[in-house]
Amino acid sequence: MKKIEYGMDFVARNLGIFKCPVCGRSFEKIVHKSVSCDQGHLFDFSKKGTLYFLKHGVKSDYNDETMWQARRNVLQAGLFQPIVDEISSFLSENRSLRIIDAGCGEGSTLKYFENKRESNKDIYVGFDISKRAINLATQGEGSAFFCIADLAQLPFAANSFDAIIDMFSPSAYGEFERILKKGGILFKVIPNENYLIELRHMLYEKNDNHYSYSNAEVLSLFKQHYPQARVKRINYEFTLKETSFEDLLYMTPLHWGAAETKIDDALATGLAKITVDVLLLMVEND
């Protein structure tokens, strides 16, 4: 089945998941190669089977194709595998779930969930604001549907998902609460101070703001919304034997503000392993 045919078939089978971002009404049918709401607003499927739900153009540093390819290489080598394993341990094994990845990037996280939970026949949706990332996500095998969407105005119906995965991405808690089913779980992953610390210290001097990191502001905001949330620290070392240091360097925005001499020195020196240090924040929608 061609990508566009798969995308159209997925949406046709799951129309109830989506809503029109223009008028907020339900999508009603597939018309030729578009999906239409009952007010006649049309959204065309791309050749890759994706839908573009943004109502205006967006300029973003995250449309860097080199970064997304590097990120795919590192994630497929297993950089975040322990994190995804931990999230998966909280998901029901007894039924199929609707799972959405907010800020899904190039799609590797959803593919890992699908492989790990293949017997559950879950429904997977990923969205990102980066068209380049979504185009790359469609190149892989898997059942997930991908779209370009605005975090602040999600094109999904209320009470549509059993789990929201938000790994290192911004959040729109009001929208998350709207699309999450009662009893569903929001998983948010944020960096700790030692996340990729070896790379951070290679690229910046001690007097630079990027030399250290604090998640205090992000954590405080999450706890304001969800004082009952569970917090679990995940810390491990990842050996770079299955991927290159160059991919690690370019997969993260850390290199954006670094001096060229620092980048050159880092590439010449390299690293054998890197620290992954994050907080997993979890809250059930009750």
Side-chain angles (χ1 to χ4, degrees):
M1 184 182 292
K2 293 180 179 179
K3 296 289 186 182
I4 187 171
E5 292 171 347
Y6 177 79
M8 292 169 63
D9 180 68
F10 181 97
V11 174
R13 286 185 284 109
N14 297 283
L15 273 176
I17 290 178
F18 300 91
K19 76 175 182 72
C20 177
V22 176
C23 64
R25 301 290 289 271
S26 300
F27 282 120
E28 187 176 55
K29 57 186 176 181
I30 305 294
V31 181
H32 301 299
K33 294 182 180 180
S34 305
V35 61
S36 172
C37 73
D38 59 11
Q39 296 297 301
H41 298 121
L42 292 173
F43 294 85
D44 299 334
F45 288 90
S46 73
K47 291 180 180 179
K48 298 179 182 295
T50 63
L51 286 169
Y52 186 91
F53 285 119
L54 299 182
K55 294 189 291 184
H56 50 78
V58 174
K59 290 185 178 180
S60 171
D61 292 331
Y62 286 90
N63 254 335
D64 182 341
E65 191 167 356
T66 299
M67 183 190 75
W68 289 121
Q69 186 59 62
R71 190 173 182 84
R72 162 165 282 194
N73 294 342
V74 178
L75 297 195
Q76 289 184 346
L79 179 66
F80 294 154
Q81 182 174 332
I83 302 173
V84 178
D85 284 342
E86 188 66 33
I87 294 172
S88 187
S89 71
F90 291 96
L91 297 175
S92 172
E93 292 289 344
N94 301 318
R95 62 189 180 93
S96 297
L97 302 177
R98 288 180 180 173
I99 299 173
I100 188 166
D101 187 352
C104 66
E106 41 63 58
S108 293
T109 299
L110 280 186
K111 180 58 179 173
Y112 185 84
F113 274 109
E114 185 172 0
N115 288 341
K116 189 171 182 63
R117 294 174 50 84
E118 60 181 345
S119 62
N120 292 82
K121 307 300 180 184
D122 298 321
I123 293 172
Y124 295 96
V125 175
F127 75 88
D128 203 284
I129 202 168
S130 169
K131 187 175 180 180
R132 288 185 183 274
I134 293 299
N135 284 343
L136 188 57
T138 65
Q139 293 178 16
E141 297 298 323
S143 67
F145 175 82
F146 295 101
C147 57
I148 298 95
D150 184 354
L151 184 66
Q153 191 175 15
L154 297 178
F156 307 112
N159 309 308
S160 289
F161 294 96
D162 299 286
I164 299 173
I165 314 296
D166 178 353
M167 292 184 61
F168 307 102
S169 294
S171 297
Y173 296 123
E175 282 291 83
F176 286 174
E177 291 162 14
R178 182 182 65 78
I179 68 171
L180 192 60
K181 291 181 181 179
K182 185 174 182 180
I185 305 178
L186 166 62
F187 300 93
K188 182 172 177 64
V189 178
I190 64 174
N192 266 330
E193 60 182 12
N194 289 329
Y195 178 70
L196 306 186
I197 192 168
E198 299 89 349
L199 181 60
R200 187 179 291 278
H201 287 178
M202 290 178 84
L203 296 178
Y204 297 99
E205 299 292 341
K206 289 184 178 180
N207 61 350
D208 194 289
N209 289 335
H210 295 295
Y211 187 81
S212 60
Y213 172 78
S214 171
N215 62 19
E217 186 175 340
V218 177
L219 182 58
S220 175
L221 181 60
F222 190 88
K223 287 186 172 180
Q224 286 177 33
H225 282 272
Y226 310 112
Q228 77 280 22
R230 288 177 285 177
V231 180
K232 182 166 186 176
R233 185 174 185 178
I234 304 173
N235 184 286
Y236 56 92
E237 286 188 337
F238 177 73
T239 303
L240 297 172
K241 61 183 179 181
E242 300 296 335
T243 188
S244 71
F245 173 76
E246 183 176 359
D247 280 336
L248 176 73
L249 173 65
Y250 286 116
M251 69 159 272
T252 164
L254 276 175
H255 74 276
W256 287 348
E260 286 297 328
T261 54
K262 284 288 189 179
I263 293 175
D264 290 342
D265 289 346
L267 288 170
T269 305
L271 287 170
K273 57 187 178 180
I274 194 77
T275 298
V276 178
D277 181 24
V278 303
L279 291 183
L280 172 59
L281 314 177
M282 299 169 283
V283 63
E284 186 172 323
N285 185 24
D286 53 9

